[in-house]
Amino acid sequence: MSKPVIVFPDAVLVTILYLREVLPGAAVYSRVPDPRPAEFIRIQRLGGLRRSLILDRPRIDVECWSDSEEGAEELCARVRAYVLAMAGKRGETTVYDVAEVSGPMWLPDSESGQPRYSFAVEFSTRGTELEKTA
């Protein structure tokens, strides 16, 4: 008997859409935009593990840029508060048990020198079985 084939939601997209909803007008991306806005947020998946046949636990890195150190820290604090409260139904995906794995850290951008703060979280999502094709 073969195991079911399970696909998991795109955790980066789930996080981006959630932040765009709770922070209207915020510039939230998965890549550094060109040209760079004065203030923006980047979401990346930095691994994480499948916890069981149907549960994925992505590790998400959140980076917050601004035109000043104070602005980057304030943006990071606001984004962090929302991300830590992200558990619940998010479109077609349910996000379970958000946990911080790395608190805010000062991390100026090495290419541009632009002020940046970063933090990381993990959360669980449930996968769905792919339909079998003939």
Side-chain angles (χ1 to χ4, degrees):
M1 183 162 208
S2 63
K3 282 187 173 182
V5 178
I6 305 296
V7 65
F8 296 100
D10 180 342
V12 170
L13 183 59
V14 169
T15 307
I16 288 172
L17 293 176
Y18 167 73
L19 287 174
R20 287 178 179 168
E21 179 185 323
V22 297
L23 296 168
V28 188
Y29 307 98
S30 63
R31 298 179 188 268
V32 174
D34 183 18
R36 286 173 184 253
E39 186 171 283
F40 67 98
I41 303 156
R42 178 171 70 171
I43 308 298
Q44 292 182 301
R45 181 170 179 160
L46 297 180
L49 299 172
R50 182 170 137 170
R51 305 297 282 181
S52 70
L53 178 64
I54 60 168
L55 286 179
D56 190 26
R57 186 137 179 103
R59 179 177 177 184
I60 300 295
D61 191 44
V62 180
E63 297 171 298
C64 301
W65 278 265
S66 191
D67 53 4
S68 70
E69 184 175 346
E70 296 79 18
E73 190 281 328
E74 288 171 8
L75 178 61
C76 182
R78 220 169 46 245
V79 171
R80 179 182 181 216
Y82 279 111
V83 168
L84 291 173
M86 188 169 70
K89 190 74 171 162
R90 305 288 160 224
E92 295 296 313
T93 301
T94 300
V95 173
Y96 303 95
D97 61 276
V98 180
E100 189 168 59
V101 294
S102 177
M105 68 180 125
W106 169 237
L107 194 65
D109 187 286
S110 60
E111 285 187 36
S112 69
Q114 189 175 8
R116 172 179 64 175
Y117 271 80
S118 178
F119 68 95
V121 297
E122 290 182 347
F123 55 81
S124 297
T125 60
R126 186 181 183 99
T128 56
E129 187 172 3
L130 284 177
E131 292 182 24
K132 295 179 177 142
T133 56

